[in-house]
Amino acid sequence: MISLFSCKTRKVWLKSVELVSAVCFCFLSNSQFDLWMMKVSIILWLIISVVCPAVYMHYVFIYGTLKKGQSNHSIIKNTTNGQAEFLARARTVERYPLVIATKNNYPFLLNVPGMGQRVHGEIYCVDQKMLDFLDEFEACPELYQRTTVQVEVQDGDGEGANTLKPGRFMDAFVYSTTRYEPEWLQKPTYENYDTNGDHGLQYHEDTSPE
C-alpha cells in the first residue's frame, strides 16, 4: 500500500505557500520570515490535510479480462467503481500457470510459482474503493484470492511520481487462485492472455438460470 496525496492537493499547498511567501518576504526580516513561514506551512498543511485528506493507493497487477482490449476493461475505467490509473505493462518475476478454465473460459493464474510461464499484464494504481470493488468482482476469496506478486516493469505511461522505469522490480496485488481442479495443472499455459487468441476459448459470462 502506498500513501499518496493527489496532484491537486500538492499543487494547492505549494501555490498557497508560494503566494504567502512572496507577500511576507517584502515586510519581514530574514529571521522573522523564516519563523513565520514555518508556522504558516504547518497551518496550511493541517488545513489542506483536512480538506483534501491523503488517499491510500494500491498497486494491482492485472493479467486477464480487465486488461486493455479485453472483455471487462470498461469495469476498471468506470469511476463509479473507484479510481484506477494505468501505470505500466509488466510481467511476473516467477513463472506461474496461466490457464483458461470453467465453462465460462475464465483466465486463472494458479498460485503455483515455478510452473508455467512468466505472465504478462498491466499495473494499475487503485484506491481503496476500487480495490474493494475488485475483491467483489473477482469473488475473493471464494474463487480468486488477493495475494502479492513480484513483477518486472516493461514500459509505462505514468508521469512524475507515478513513473515506473522499465526493469524495476516491485510488489503488487494479484488475483490468483489456490482453489482449482487438479486437472487444471495439465491445461495449456499462456504467457499473455487474450480472449480472442488462437486457443478458441473466448471468455463469456453464464447468463443461463441455475
Side-chain angles (χ1 to χ4, degrees):
M1 181 174 67
I2 53 174
S3 173
L4 296 175
F5 278 98
S6 67
C7 293
K8 182 178 179 181
T9 303
R10 290 195 296 269
K11 288 178 180 177
V12 169
W13 182 72
L14 290 173
K15 288 296 182 183
S16 300
V17 172
E18 288 174 3
L19 179 62
V20 173
S21 300
V23 173
C24 294
F25 186 74
C26 301
F27 300 99
L28 299 175
S29 65
N30 287 341
S31 59
Q32 290 175 319
F33 177 77
D34 291 342
L35 179 60
W36 196 85
M37 275 304 303
M38 181 177 68
K39 294 179 179 179
V40 168
S41 296
I42 293 173
I43 292 172
L44 283 174
W45 183 258
L46 289 173
I47 292 173
I48 293 175
S49 295
V50 173
V51 176
C52 304
V55 178
Y56 290 96
M57 307 295 285
H58 311 267
Y59 291 129
V60 179
F61 177 70
I62 288 171
Y63 61 86
T65 65
L66 292 171
K67 291 193 308 179
K68 293 181 179 181
Q70 300 302 309
S71 309
N72 290 320
H73 182 63
S74 60
I75 290 174
I76 204 165
K77 292 177 63 178
N78 188 344
T79 55
T80 60
N81 299 328
Q83 298 296 320
E85 178 186 0
F86 170 79
L87 297 183
R89 295 174 184 84
R91 63 176 180 171
T92 60
V93 173
E94 290 195 79
R95 293 181 294 121
Y96 290 90
L98 172 56
V99 303
I100 299 175
T102 75
K103 62 181 179 180
N104 296 325
N105 295 328
Y106 289 160
F108 286 93
L109 188 71
L110 306 186
N111 196 350
V112 187
M115 294 184 62
Q117 306 183 53
R118 294 185 66 183
V119 176
H120 290 253
E122 300 168 353
I123 302 173
Y124 286 81
C125 188
V126 307
D127 64 7
Q128 186 62 47
K129 182 178 179 181
M130 178 61 79
L131 190 68
D132 292 341
F133 173 82
L134 291 175
D135 281 352
E136 182 177 356
F137 175 77
E138 301 287 5
C140 178
E142 290 79 16
L143 187 61
Y144 296 87
Q145 297 82 51
R146 174 158 53 86
T147 57
T148 302
V149 67
Q150 189 175 46
V151 296
E152 179 185 4
V153 176
Q154 302 295 292
D155 59 71
D157 292 345
E159 297 181 356
N162 291 334
T163 299
L164 298 178
K165 295 183 179 180
R168 172 180 170 180
F169 293 88
M170 59 182 292
D171 292 334
F173 285 133
V174 68
Y175 291 91
S176 59
T177 187
T178 57
R179 300 181 179 181
Y180 53 85
E181 300 296 329
E183 58 267 23
W184 290 10
L185 290 172
Q186 309 305 317
K187 287 180 174 290
T189 63
Y190 301 93
E191 181 182 40
N192 198 348
Y193 172 79
D194 182 358
T195 186
N196 297 311
D198 57 12
H199 47 68
L201 300 172
Q202 191 171 47
Y203 166 88
H204 64 91
E205 286 292 348
D206 182 15
T207 57
S208 61
E210 295 182 0

